[in-house]
Amino acid sequence: MQINKNYDNLEQSYLFSTIARKVSEYSAAHPEADIIRLGIGDVTRPLVPAVIDALHAAVEDQSRQETFHGYGDEQGYGFLHEALVGYYKTHGVDLATDEIFISDGAKSDLGNILDIFGADNTVLIPDPVYPVYVDTNVMAGRKVIFMDANESNGFLPLPDASVKADIIYICSPNNPTGAAYDRAGLKAWVDYANANSAVILYDAAYECFIEDENLPRSIFEIEGAKTCAIEFCSFSKMAGFTGTRCGWTVVPQALMDGKLNKMWLRRQTTKFNGVPYIVQKGAAACFTEDGMKQIKETLGYYKQNAKVLAETLDSLGIWYTGGKSSPYLWLKCPNGMGSWEFFDYLLENAHVVGTPGAGFGRNGDGFFRLTAFGDQQRTLEAAERLKKLLG
Ligand code: PLP
């Protein structure tokens, strides 16, 4: 027996465990400190009533002979495909139902999609970024190269014609930087990918935060994207499904003349048995009139937090990305502080916890992530503390 030695090449991530340790040590030494956590990437608001009602009704369906559902199609139920086709239409994208695959979330698909690509591909990943892209490729032994996202390109790197890559990851709006590509930026990537016979793995998990008409919500809004891109998206941030689990992946038929769509279907029907009927019913309820309205209200709650934090950074003259089309704000640590130095400084002097940028890649050092997923009153309180400390 031989193990997969590629696992030895994974870098240990101590980011969230180190944060947890530092916060608990500080709390133990200063039990009176009222600590506000603006570091979490998880949602905090409950599922909306339209989703809850659909979940309850689906549970009832499972109790009756006539409406009971056993195994469903691995790629998801038709009712959810139809609802998603309608959703994409609202931002000008035409999809066929067989181009959409329902999953238990974007993270699984982002990892699993690598099954359909050869091991010898060169993979291009932005730094800093959501760590799953790097680790899933390291596990498979692929060669990973990085593109620098930094202050000079607004954390939105553009293609470099001298770099040859086969698989390109783009996350927009980005985790952790909150930066989102405009049409021209995405078009540059689509043109590069088509010219190099490369594929773009486009993570749109935060598209629901985009309000600016000039920013695409789907890569398929860009001409030429259907011949070079696969899109991953999720109900997690859109509708609070982080614990309920549902997402989707779009593999266009125009990509390699349908070859990748067929391969992904084969992969899913072989290794996956579908998302629970009950969960898919809850997900579909997001696209009803009531569902959409209620989801927008919840997103508005987080967006208000993002606005408060953005205004705070504006008033302090601190450089940042995100906050407008994203629940994340990515700020430059004041006075040249390193990410961890600033973490300690904020914890000790304002009792506010964020996430050090260094945990997301080399270019993250000197930067810091705040999130808008917290409680509104607590976020306001944190903003006041930041103003007092850094003003
Ligand atoms: N993609 C990005 C960029 C994320 O930040 C996250 C979760 O935080 C995910 C994907 C995972 O989404 P899901 O809950 O659908 O697995």
Side-chain angles (χ1 to χ4, degrees):
M1 186 282 277
Q2 290 179 7
I3 58 160
N4 180 350
K5 290 231 170 58
N6 295 321
Y7 278 61
D8 294 338
N9 300 326
L10 290 167
E11 293 212 14
Q12 286 301 330
S13 174
Y14 299 109
L15 178 63
F16 290 100
S17 56
T18 307
I19 292 172
R21 179 180 53 74
K22 277 178 177 274
V23 174
S24 75
E25 281 172 7
Y26 187 82
S27 295
H30 305 86
E32 75 295 345
D34 173 25
I35 292 173
I36 302 180
R37 288 177 170 78
L38 296 183
I40 43 155
D42 197 357
V43 296
T44 53
R45 308 292 295 165
L47 297 175
V48 299
V51 169
I52 292 294
D53 288 348
L55 291 170
H56 280 303
V59 169
E60 289 303 318
D61 284 350
Q62 293 298 69
S63 74
R64 288 187 298 264
Q65 185 71 57
E66 320 82 76
T67 50
F68 169 77
H69 288 73
Y71 289 124
D73 286 344
E74 291 87 345
Q75 64 272 37
Y77 281 101
F79 61 79
L80 190 48
H81 291 145
E82 298 287 349
L84 279 162
V85 166
Y87 181 61
Y88 273 87
K89 264 212 178 80
T90 63
H91 33 281
V93 174
D94 282 321
L95 294 178
T97 48
D98 67 358
E99 294 177 308
I100 301 171
F101 297 81
I102 309 302
S103 71
D104 66 345
K107 189 178 189 176
S108 321
D109 278 8
L110 282 160
N112 294 335
I113 198 77
L114 296 175
D115 267 18
I116 67 171
F117 296 108
D120 292 336
N121 289 300
T122 297
V123 182
L124 180 61
I125 301 182
D127 171 341
V129 87
Y130 182 53
V132 167
Y133 314 150
V134 177
D135 287 353
T136 49
N137 278 288
V138 169
M139 286 172 177
R142 273 191 202 84
K143 184 178 170 206
V144 174
I145 56 175
F146 293 96
M147 49 175 148
D148 289 325
N150 49 39
E151 194 178 348
S152 66
N153 57 28
F155 285 91
L156 293 169
L158 290 171
D160 173 348
S162 68
V163 173
K164 175 81 189 85
D166 306 302
I167 298 175
I168 302 153
Y169 283 85
I170 297 179
C171 179
S172 180
N174 185 282
N175 178 10
T177 71
Y181 280 99
D182 61 13
R183 279 170 219 284
L186 276 192
K187 177 77 175 128
W189 278 113
V190 165
D191 289 347
Y192 169 95
N194 278 321
N196 289 278
S197 303
V199 67
I200 294 172
L201 302 182
Y202 188 79
D203 186 344
Y206 297 92
E207 61 81 28
C208 53
F209 283 88
I210 293 177
E211 276 173 0
D212 184 344
E213 295 275 311
N214 297 315
L215 303 178
R217 300 180 66 147
S218 161
I219 194 165
F220 301 120
E221 291 178 45
I222 307 300
E223 197 191 335
K226 284 192 177 169
T227 52
C228 68
I230 294 176
E231 179 163 298
F232 303 85
C233 205
S234 172
F235 291 93
S236 282
K237 307 299 155 88
M238 176 202 221
F241 271 56
T242 53
T244 306
R245 308 304 306 146
C246 196
W248 72 91
T249 291
V250 179
V251 188
Q253 291 290 2
L255 191 54
M256 287 183 79
D257 294 326
K259 174 89 179 155
L260 290 186
N261 182 290
K262 272 200 196 71
M263 286 175 72
W264 182 239
L265 179 63
R266 182 62 205 257
R267 190 271 169 209
Q268 290 299 78
T269 51
T270 303
K271 294 198 187 181
F272 183 58
N273 241 344
V275 176
Y277 166 76
I278 295 165
V279 171
Q280 292 191 60
K281 275 289 188 182
C286 296
F287 301 112
T288 59
E289 209 180 313
D290 281 351
M292 266 290 135
K293 197 168 140 264
Q294 293 164 3
I295 282 168
K296 281 196 179 139
E297 274 165 25
T298 303
L299 288 170
Y301 180 98
Y302 298 135
K303 283 178 189 180
Q304 178 58 27
N305 285 342
K307 194 162 165 249
V308 164
L309 293 171
E311 283 169 0
T312 303
L313 297 177
D314 285 337
S315 74
L316 292 167
I318 293 175
W319 189 93
Y320 67 96
T321 53
K324 277 191 196 68
S325 305
S326 163
Y328 299 122
L329 293 97
W330 177 255
L331 61 106
K332 189 173 177 181
C333 302
N335 306 321
M337 275 190 250
S339 297
W340 282 107
E341 199 186 340
F342 187 58
F343 175 91
D344 290 335
Y345 181 70
L346 267 194
L347 174 61
E348 287 162 20
N349 297 291
H351 303 155
V352 169
V353 177
T355 313
F360 297 98
R362 197 171 50 87
N363 290 319
D365 199 18
F367 290 85
F368 199 75
R369 191 188 77 173
L370 295 176
T371 90
F373 284 127
D375 175 82
Q376 234 162 44
Q377 284 310 319
R378 300 293 280 163
T379 305
L380 280 169
E381 166 70 20
E384 287 311 310
R385 293 187 195 176
L386 290 178
K387 279 187 202 152
K388 211 158 143 206
L389 180 68
L390 305 171

